[in-house]
Amino acid sequence: MRVLIAGCGDLGNRLAQGLLHDGHTVFGLKRNTASLPVGVRPISADLLDPQTLNTLPPGIDVLVFMPTPATRDEAGYNAIFIRALENLFLALDHEPGQTVLISSTAVFGESGGAVVTEETDPSPSRFNGRILLQMEQLAASLTSRLTVARISGIYGPGREHLIDMARREDLEIQQFPPFYTNRIHSDDAAAALRHLMYIENPLGLYLLSDDLPAPRYEVMSWLAQVQGNARPAGLTIETADNGKQVSNRRLRDSGFSLKFPDYRVGYADILRRRSAV
């Protein structure tokens, strides 16, 4: 299998290593290819500059589209998720057998703490969710062989800001009403994407998250206590919303097993690694 990962950052590198282990040919496209894992075939290109895409490898079986915006504003999102996707499909020599599009659970507008599934109608309230939903719709118009992966908050090695935040003595976190958060370890996110490539007849949409949506106060209190610190101050904010709870049932039912099924297992592993250094 010949796989092109467009926007091959940290998560793309983890995915690439798994695919290389399986014996596939992996191309990594990004502006600076110095950080690509050994074995990944580098493509130094800018998705926003069509001229740099003139020499894409032929015969791509699977396209993985997972770029990162240069700026976290509406213009940056429009550029990398809309214009770049159009540029890439124009540059390919044929329609890939499968396109795996990395999106986000930010497309859901739910804020009352309810469970969201693949059947939940997206109603994004912020520009990031709106543009990612537009990206999904654009991709569906460009290929009939599309698998969308909406990923919740990714944590893992190099994504440890909550661990450091939990050590602050002045930390205050909304406790009432509970604000639900959703996450997935970066190793599991990469493994889930790899899994979706091996499903014989994948569905068009999967939510990638762990087994345990949890209130933010609960997560931060646990992280503080396991590091020997006091719980953060709990705030009551009567006008605050409750977030959402992301269900991973479809992913689980497809045969995928999580290495880190909840935040306690995942963060405990990170803390063990830290203490071993």
Side-chain angles (χ1 to χ4, degrees), residues 59-185:
I60 293 299
D61 299 302
V62 179
L63 167 66
V64 183
F65 187 75
M66 52 192 317
T68 301
T71 57
R72 298 283 176 173
D73 55 20
E74 192 163 355
Y77 269 63
N78 260 313
I80 201 63
F81 294 122
I82 304 299
R83 186 151 47 93
L85 183 61
E86 293 175 327
N87 291 343
L88 184 58
F89 265 87
L90 285 172
L92 291 168
D93 70 330
H94 75 296
E95 180 183 347
Q98 182 187 26
T99 294
V100 179
L101 187 78
I102 311 308
S103 186
S104 167
T105 55
V107 302
F108 294 112
E110 171 60 41
S111 60
V115 174
V116 297
T117 72
E118 289 82 358
E119 305 301 324
T120 303
D121 288 333
S123 54
S125 58
R126 300 182 59 212
F127 78 85
N128 59 332
R130 289 195 300 269
I131 293 173
L132 289 170
L133 184 58
Q134 291 173 19
M135 175 189 69
E136 294 180 14
Q137 295 165 343
L138 173 61
S141 73
L142 294 171
T143 176
S144 60
R145 305 164 182 173
L146 178 65
T147 305
V148 176
R150 292 178 184 163
I151 305 181
S152 65
I154 301 174
Y155 73 102
R159 302 172 188 258
E160 305 169 19
H161 63 283
L162 291 187
I163 292 176
D164 298 328
M165 184 186 300
R167 293 203 298 265
R168 284 173 38 191
E169 295 182 358
D170 61 344
L171 186 62
E172 298 178 333
I173 300 291
Q174 175 184 330
Q175 185 175 11
F176 302 107
F179 181 84
Y180 284 93
T181 59
N182 305 269
R183 67 205 53 77
I184 187 168
H185 192 284

Side-chain angles (χ1 to χ4, degrees), residues 3 24 26 38-39 46 48-49 71 122 128 133 144 172 186 222 224 243:
V3 182
H24 301 298
V26 183
V38 174
D46 184 346
L48 296 176
D49 183 355
T71 57
N128 59 332
L133 184 58
S144 60
E172 298 178 333
S186 52
W222 185 87

